[in-house]
Amino acid sequence: MNLVLFGPPGAGKGTQAKVLAERHGVPHISTGDIFRAALRQGTPLGLDAKRFMDAGQLVPDAVVCGMVRERLRERDAERGYVLDGFPRTIAQAVAFDEMLSADGSSIGKVISVEVADEELVRRLTGRRSCPVCGAAYHVESAPPKVAGACDACGSALVQREDDSEGVVRKRLEVYNAQTRPVAAYYQDRGVLQRIDGSGSIPDVLDRIEKALEDGGR
Ligand code: AMP
């Protein structure tokens, strides 16, 4: 399965991509996760990306594309992948086409998960996670039993720096200006399917699986 999960920040792409990748036996490749891991390790890539991430801006295309090119060459990606958070600009989409054709392959399916802006702000600003075990929460829709503490291990929950309201609004602005046009790019090529990203996680997952079946790829 070669799948690109497309959509604004907060649409639930990461959550869905993780489940889909496990179900279909392919790696989940999230450019945001790769940057955050690089940052935790203090590598130059991570430190460089941090400046852009903290400001809600996109990391430069050349950096992202080089990183994805390398990641797709890893062995586990031979059987396919679920890409989450890439491509985010037309230049990245063009570079991605070039990477694929260099390998004698072409774009698989692109599923766009659509959610209204105000709902995205609510979801992102309420998001919390456990820095120790990775459990995810939302202050309104999935609160921990004790406010601010992880149900599983009791650690203090944290908020991603770029989930503060000011940065969230900037990320949505950047999405609308630079990333939304990528959907039209794929629509013109006949590979885009739009699905409703509102409602529960299992409902959205069902819609994605149906879209995958309908396309038969
Ligand atoms: P995400 O976890 O996908 O929301 O990504 C977090 C941040 O990482 C974004 O706000 C960008 O600063 C950066 N980032 C992730 N993927 C890309 C990409 N494909 N192009 C540029 N920047 C990216």
Side-chain angles (χ1 to χ4, degrees), residues 9-10 13 30-33 35-36 49-50 52-61 64 67-68 84-89 92 124 127 160 162-163 167 171:
K13 299 186 298 295
S30 153
T31 42
D33 282 354
F35 287 132
R36 281 183 290 276
K50 179 176 164 50
F52 298 98
M53 294 168 83
D54 284 354
Q57 306 273 11
L58 295 182
V59 175
D61 289 332
V64 183
M67 188 179 87
V68 171
D84 155 21
F86 178 91
R88 251 169 154 113
T89 62
Q92 291 179 18
L124 288 166
R127 199 154 75 159
R160 254 171 66 170
D162 59 350
D163 280 346
V167 181
R171 286 163 69 198

Side-chain angles (χ1 to χ4, degrees), residues 5-11 13 85 88 111-114 175 179:
L5 265 194
F6 183 85
K13 299 186 298 295
R88 251 169 154 113
I111 293 186
S112 173
V113 183
E114 318 239 318
Y175 174 80
T179 307

Side-chain angles (χ1 to χ4, degrees), residues 29 78 95 122 166 169 206:
I29 303 180
E78 272 169 18
R122 191 195 69 79
R169 297 223 176 254
D206 274 356

